[in-house]
């Protein structure tokens, strides 16, 4: 016992050093490590929510067909049956959610079609392609074809 | 009581271990129970993958356009989270294909190889959402990670913009967003797929060349696709665990 107290300042010094060191580590860690880090892995769990918070711009065709049943029926019968509405109409989530009173503008009835149907050797041979100058030099394609059900035969 | 050195070391050891445990417990007390992903979406019920059918791609560029719109990817300069490459393989030199991707395919592909000998095809590219991704391994701050449902994401609030991951990605899928100076990449439209929607690029793909799939969902058509087609991933020799499966991938594709 006496032996112990004889050199106690060594021990006290060391203990203080330990405590300060550990405290500093705990405080530093608390400040530096973001909340939720490590919950699912080596990352901040809240980052998942951050990414999910991004707004949706393409409503998805399932939403469009709920209201535009006539066009959905028309499309279902033709060769464009599997093309999403927004592939031609562009992102319309604000319209579909009723957040915008603006009536969406119609897609260009020529440029829209040419984007997909202009002939190109790199396109798969089975895909229907046309040479615009030969097939219809100018004017809207919709003069003959219906946009939502394009086959004439 | 005579304290031996052993006693002292034992006591200090216990003290260190217990205070560390207390610190851990304190963290849990402060933050409460984790309740990160509410609603019906359960992280562990999904394992996302992607299929690309090269024989179906017509190079319309709808996917590139939609991705930029959906995810606010800068139009200029031309960075893309997904892009389409055009390959022209000359039969005399199969090892060195001609590859181009004007503006990532954003405006489509003006005819270039008409009348030339050789094979031509489009290869849509995007993040492969690797299961053991090199980009994740090199991140010094844990800002890029594989989510428990198999999507490689970036924590923009912790990204330093150090570009290690840009270098590490064997597929060139990452770029630095000039507006934030942080890294940007395909999120597999995480904000959409966790709400039951498909990705923006799949939504607008006219031929179904791109398909999102959930490997943990036994009813997902991706299982039939993987069974019925001879698929390949990009750069299998890199052992990245890529989850982007290509049907009809030519050996010349890099």
């Amino acid at each position: 016992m006496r032996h112990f107290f004889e050199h106690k300042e060594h021990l006290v010094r060391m203990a203080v050093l330990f405590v300060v060191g550990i405290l500093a580590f705990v405080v530093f860690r608390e400040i530096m490590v973001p909340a939720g880090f490590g919950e699912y892995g080596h990352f901040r769990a809240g980052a998942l929510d951050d990414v999910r918070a991004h707004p949706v711009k393409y409503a998805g065709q399932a939403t469009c067909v709920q209201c535009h049943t006539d066009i959905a029926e028309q499309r279902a019968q033709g060769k464009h049956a599997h093309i999403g509405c927004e592939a031609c109409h562009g992102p319309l989530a604000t319209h579909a959610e009723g957040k915008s009173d603006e009536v969406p503008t119609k897609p260009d009835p020529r440029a829209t079609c040419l984007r997909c149907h202009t002939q190109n050797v790199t396109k798969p041979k089975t895909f229907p392609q046309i040479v615009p100058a030969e097939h219809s030099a100018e004017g809207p394609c919709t003069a003959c074809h219906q946009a939502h059900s394009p086959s004439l035969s | 009581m005579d304290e031996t050195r052993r006693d002292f070391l034992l006591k200090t050891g216990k003290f260190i271990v217990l205070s560390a445990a207390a610190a851990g417990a304190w963290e849990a007390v402060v933050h409460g129970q984790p309740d990160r992903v509410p609603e019906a979406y359960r992280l562990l019920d999904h394992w996302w993958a992607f299929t690309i059918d090269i024989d179906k791609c017509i190079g319309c560029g709808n996917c590139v356009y939609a991705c930029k719109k959906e995810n606010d990817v800068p139009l200029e300069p031309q960075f893309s989270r997904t892009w389409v490459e055009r390959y022209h393989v000359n039969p005399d030199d199969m090892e060195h294909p001609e590859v181009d991707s004007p503006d990532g395919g954003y405006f489509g592909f003006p005819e270039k190889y008409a009348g030339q000998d050789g094979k031509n095809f489009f290869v849509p590219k995007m993040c492969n959402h690797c299961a053991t991704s090199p980009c994740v391994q090199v991140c010094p701050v844990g800002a890029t990670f594989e989510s428990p449902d198999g999507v490689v994401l970036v924590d923009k609030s912790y990204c330093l913009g150090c570009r290690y991951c840009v270098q590490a990605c064997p597929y060139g899928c990452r770029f630095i967003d000039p507006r934030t100076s942080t890294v940007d990449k395909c999120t597999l439209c995480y904000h959409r797929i966790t709400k039951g929607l498909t990705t923006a690029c799949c939504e607008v793909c006219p031929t179904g060349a791109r398909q999102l799939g959930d490997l943990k969902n036994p009813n997902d058509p991706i299982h039939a696709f993987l069974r019925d087609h001879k698929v390949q991933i990009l750069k299998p020799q890199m052992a990245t665990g890529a989850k982007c499966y290509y049907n009809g991938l030519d050996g010349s594709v890099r």
Side-chain angles (χ1 to χ4, degrees), chain B residues 2-249:
Chain B
D2 236 344
E3 184 109 349
T4 62
R5 177 170 295 169
R6 165 179 295 199
D7 290 336
F8 171 72
L9 287 176
L10 256 175
K11 274 184 199 157
T12 350
K14 280 182 194 160
F15 180 66
I16 291 172
V17 169
L18 287 178
S19 48
W26 179 245
E27 210 157 90
V29 172
V30 170
H31 300 306
Q33 271 301 299
D35 187 20
R36 290 287 165 207
V37 184
E39 297 159 41
Y41 187 77
R42 305 241 331 256
L43 277 173
L44 294 179
D45 290 352
H46 306 273
W47 187 250
W48 297 107
F50 209 83
T51 58
I52 293 176
D53 197 337
I54 293 192
D55 297 341
K56 283 188 178 169
C57 180
I58 61 168
C60 64
N62 262 2
C63 49
V64 185
Y65 176 85
C67 176
K68 289 214 174 203
K69 284 276 178 197
E70 177 74 28
N71 296 300
D72 297 323
V73 180
L75 286 181
E76 289 288 337
Q78 269 288 353
F79 291 126
S80 298
R81 289 182 177 193
T82 183
W83 67 100
V84 181
E85 291 171 1
R86 167 167 56 186
Y87 274 71
H88 172 72
V89 187
N90 192 320
D92 296 334
D93 188 8
M94 305 273 272
E95 283 296 305
H96 301 97
E98 264 179 69
V99 188
D100 74 334
S101 183
D103 292 323
Y106 187 84
F107 302 106
F109 291 82
E111 182 69 285
K112 191 170 170 187
Y113 298 114
Q116 289 188 34
D117 195 14
K119 57 181 165 185
N120 306 288
F121 50 89
F122 293 111
V123 183
K125 292 222 175 143
M126 59 184 276
C127 171
N128 290 255
H129 294 284
C130 308
T132 50
S133 181
C135 61
V136 172
Q137 286 161 29
V138 298
C139 181
V141 293
T144 189
F145 56 92
E146 290 135 11
S147 73
D149 40 356
V151 183
V152 177
L153 295 171
V154 177
D155 183 347
K156 296 231 171 178
S157 61
Y158 276 82
C159 175
L160 302 168
C162 74
R163 295 162 168 78
Y164 276 145
C165 55
V166 181
Q167 291 272 309
C169 175
Y171 308 107
C173 297
R174 289 169 167 256
F175 58 90
I176 298 288
D177 187 333
R179 296 165 302 188
T180 57
S181 294
T182 54
V183 76
D184 200 59
K185 69 176 287 293
C186 163
T187 61
L188 205 62
C189 281
Y190 199 64
H191 60 293
R192 297 175 62 90
I193 63 175
T194 52
K195 294 188 186 94
L197 294 165
T198 187
T199 65
C201 55
C202 292
E203 177 66 39
V204 301
C205 180
T207 59
R210 293 168 157 260
Q211 300 282 345
L212 174 76
D214 181 357
L215 292 174
K216 277 198 188 170
N217 176 359
N219 300 321
D220 198 296
I222 191 173
H223 299 296
F225 184 90
L226 294 179
R227 206 169 40 233
D228 298 342
H229 296 82
K230 295 165 192 73
V231 296
Q232 176 62 291
I233 56 167
L234 291 173
K235 302 191 181 173
Q237 74 277 16
M238 304 286 289
T240 54
K243 292 202 266 63
C244 220
Y245 301 97
Y246 285 84
N247 177 44
L249 190 69

